[in-house]
Amino acid sequence: MTAETSQTLDRGVQVLKLLADSDRGLTVTELAGRLTVNRTVVYRLLATLEQHGLVRRDIGGRARVGLGVLRLAHRVHPLLREAALPALRTLAEDLGATAHLTLVDGCDALVVAVVEPSWTDVHVAYRTGLRHGLDENAAGRAILGARNLPYGAAPEPTFVVTGPEERSGACGAAAALLGLTGIEGCVGVVMLGGMVPERAGPRVVEAATEVAEALR
């Protein structure tokens, strides 16, 4: 801690990070142990965070991240979009396909940034704000694949390719964003045609790596 920082605010942020990394939530005792402070301090931190909707406590007394965090997360989307656009533009121009950044939002995949190629006569119209299930296309499956990585394993960049969809006739390739805390998502492309070019997979991996580095 430096003279310019607030110890109380620092501890509050630490509480949110600890809760975000815990699937089951944490008790006051567990939080006090991890922060190496007494329980009274933790009670005060939780009470303040609860007032702002950033933390909630269940019947058993375990603290979890509150829904107020989602409101803050939505304000982050423009920042994520701005960071991802350079890589998406290069990807779209290189492959002549519509490139996108897709993030997990609740139980859905949410498209937060789209770049269409400038030189093609025909390309897929993909719009920002589109929602779909995580098991419906290459984007969602790339995200699910990253979730299934063994705990503690070094993430290996991989990609998912899907053939033409029955409704749209579009196919795609996507690679998950790896090594980010609190963000689940992928970079991908959608295109028309029966086959995804062989180089599309490695290119979306490169773009996803570039976006992840920009977000760190």
Side-chain angles (χ1 to χ4, degrees):
M1 297 291 293
T2 65
E4 294 80 14
T5 60
S6 165
Q7 184 181 58
T8 301
L9 179 58
D10 180 71
R11 285 173 175 168
V13 172
Q14 288 184 61
V15 167
L16 289 175
K17 288 182 176 179
L18 289 170
L19 295 180
D21 290 336
S22 172
D23 294 332
R24 299 177 55 250
L26 296 169
T27 65
V28 170
T29 300
E30 289 169 337
L31 283 168
R34 298 190 189 190
L35 294 173
T36 63
V37 298
N38 63 52
R39 290 162 53 93
T40 301
V41 171
V42 175
Y43 275 118
R44 290 172 180 167
L45 290 171
L46 291 178
T48 302
L49 292 169
E50 278 186 292
Q51 285 182 345
H52 294 279
L54 301 177
V55 164
R56 62 183 176 85
R57 276 184 275 187
D58 60 26
I59 297 177
R62 303 187 76 85
R64 303 173 187 270
V65 173
L67 294 178
V69 172
L70 292 178
R71 291 192 291 274
L72 296 178
H74 284 297
R75 302 298 188 270
V76 175
H77 287 171
L79 299 177
L80 298 178
R81 188 180 304 119
E82 182 178 349
L85 282 178
L88 294 182
R89 287 195 188 100
T90 302
L91 182 63
E93 294 297 314
D94 186 20
L95 295 178
T98 302
H100 62 87
L101 171 68
T102 296
L103 302 178
V104 173
D105 187 53
C107 298
D108 298 328
L110 174 66
V111 180
V112 299
V114 173
V115 175
E116 298 178 350
S118 64
W119 56 269
T120 55
D121 293 329
V122 179
H123 53 260
V124 176
Y126 214 52
R127 71 179 188 277
T128 301
L130 176 69
R131 288 179 177 272
H132 58 77
L134 290 174
D135 59 349
E136 289 184 13
N137 56 26
R141 292 169 192 170
I143 293 168
L144 291 175
R147 285 183 178 179
N148 292 329
L149 290 172
Y151 179 77
E156 287 290 336
T158 58
F159 59 87
V160 173
V161 174
T162 55
E165 296 180 6
E166 185 175 341
R167 289 180 297 174
S168 66
C171 52
L177 301 175
L178 301 177
L180 297 175
T181 301
I183 299 175
E184 278 190 295
C186 72
V187 168
V189 291
V190 289
M191 60 189 74
L192 296 172
M195 291 287 291
V196 174
E198 189 173 322
R199 66 192 184 97
R203 279 296 291 116
V204 295
V205 169
E206 292 175 7
T209 300
E210 185 177 340
V211 171
E213 289 176 352
L215 295 178
R216 289 194 180 99

